[in-house]
Amino acid sequence: MSRFLSPRFAALEAYTPGEQPRDQQYIKLNTNESPYPPSPEVLARLNADEVKRLNLYPDPEGKILKEKLAKHYGVEKENIFLSNGSDDILNFAFMAFCDEERGAAFPEISYGFYPVYADLYHVPHVKPFLKEDFSIDYKDYCDINKMVVIANPNAPTGMEIGLFEIEEILKANPNHVVLIDEAYVDFGGTSAVGLVEKYPNLLVCMTYSKSRSMAGARLGFAIASKEIIEDLEKIKFSTNPYNINRLTLAAVEAAVEVAKSKSAF
């Protein structure tokens, strides 16, 4: 440990990103990157005119993209939060909705970043075991009085819990955020976005890294009640309001247009 690092981080075990081979001759499975490029419409949007505008800061609110995402998912613009990959949303959620008194709960086998964020912010946490068939027992998260974080479908098992189970967790923890991480929902899962209007404590987290072949663009977004979105915006604007670059905003705007026109997702 460096003599300059604060002692509160002495025991922190950082997340290890997947290896990035330089020769690019492999289909990489360690970070679940798509072997295919983004859609032609996305590539066309990243033209010389867009690059010329790199002298200007991006829109910190991402208004155009929020409007397109809101229309695509059937919610209001105020229900959308944008960030630099879904990892940033997870980071902000642990920062905003947890502390040393308000803990977190997530499966023992799941995304490896959850315990890192919990340790980073000194959040007490529990990690319920999966059932024998590697599925999540939703009852483990009912009346737990903590922020619940569940990847659905779960990683690395690929198994999901249904909307009924998610609703039971939401109803049993009305004063705590229930974060459903839908990084892989496009590959065979049921989104919980339709429950946002009914449950003000639901936070659905998504990414364009996987199914839209845009891992390098770093765009994540969340859909939640206006109350939760305002909390996340407060954290974002207190750290780095320009955390999504202009080219990423333009690329994802094009990707949403493609999804809408072709009903791709």
Side-chain angles (χ1 to χ4, degrees):
M1 182 183 73
S2 163
R3 60 193 174 98
F4 304 109
L5 185 67
S6 170
R8 69 182 184 276
F9 298 126
L12 182 65
E13 293 187 20
Y15 177 77
T16 302
E19 184 180 355
Q20 299 291 324
R22 292 180 178 273
D23 51 20
Q24 300 291 308
Q25 62 176 317
Y26 310 101
I27 295 177
K28 293 171 66 271
L29 300 180
N30 63 335
T31 48
N32 293 317
E33 293 168 333
S34 172
Y36 307 106
S39 69
E41 291 85 351
V42 170
L43 299 179
R45 186 68 60 89
L46 300 178
N47 52 40
D49 287 338
E50 290 293 344
V51 173
K52 287 179 181 178
R53 297 189 182 98
L54 287 178
N55 61 310
L56 304 174
Y57 281 106
D59 176 8
E61 297 183 24
K63 293 179 182 178
I64 295 175
L65 179 54
K66 281 186 177 182
E67 291 171 355
K68 290 181 180 294
L69 286 169
K71 187 174 182 179
H72 182 63
Y73 288 97
V75 297
E76 300 298 322
K77 180 168 64 70
E78 291 75 19
N79 299 123
I80 301 289
F81 176 77
L82 305 176
S83 197
N84 190 266
S86 59
D87 286 338
D88 242 13
I89 299 170
L90 299 172
N91 179 30
F92 290 156
F94 274 89
M95 190 189 310
F97 307 122
C98 300
D99 50 42
E100 294 183 359
E101 284 76 41
R102 297 181 297 174
F106 41 84
E108 170 69 22
I109 298 176
S110 194
Y111 185 29
F113 230 142
Y114 300 155
V116 174
Y117 288 131
D119 290 339
L120 178 64
Y121 297 113
H122 303 281
V123 173
H125 53 281
V126 296
K127 299 185 289 185
F129 290 104
L130 301 180
K131 295 192 289 187
E132 288 187 4
D133 64 354
F134 296 104
S135 64
I136 293 172
D137 189 343
Y138 78 93
K139 296 176 183 177
D140 290 336
Y141 301 91
C142 292
D143 300 305
I144 201 167
N145 294 318
K146 295 175 174 59
M147 182 176 79
V148 174
V149 183
I150 293 177
N152 197 39
N154 194 18
T157 67
M159 302 180 70
E160 71 165 340
I161 61 173
L163 295 183
F164 169 80
E165 289 82 2
I166 292 175
E167 283 201 73
E168 291 300 299
I169 296 171
L170 287 161
K171 290 187 288 188
N173 300 282
N175 297 316
H176 294 272
V177 168
V178 176
L179 192 160
I180 304 300
D181 184 353
E182 296 188 354
Y184 296 100
V185 73
D186 292 322
F187 298 103
T190 304
S191 177
V193 167
L195 300 176
V196 165
E197 186 175 357
K198 186 176 180 181
Y199 297 99
N201 57 326
L202 173 60
L203 171 59
V204 180
C205 181
M206 296 183 174
T207 179
Y208 268 35
S209 293
K210 313 298 183 182
S211 62
R212 275 72 166 186
S213 298
M214 298 175 69
R218 309 308 303 134
L219 191 287
F221 62 99
I223 301 178
S225 64
K226 181 180 178 181
E227 180 182 9
I228 287 179
I229 297 301
E230 288 177 347
D231 292 337
L232 293 174
E233 295 281 10
K234 185 173 185 177
I235 299 297
K236 172 182 172 179
F237 279 81
S238 298
T239 51
N240 181 11
Y242 299 108
N243 66 340
I244 305 173
N245 69 71
R246 297 183 64 90
L247 295 182
T248 291
L249 287 172
V252 180
E253 287 168 15
V256 179
E257 292 167 8
V258 171
K260 181 175 177 58
S261 64
K262 298 183 179 180
S263 299
F265 303 101

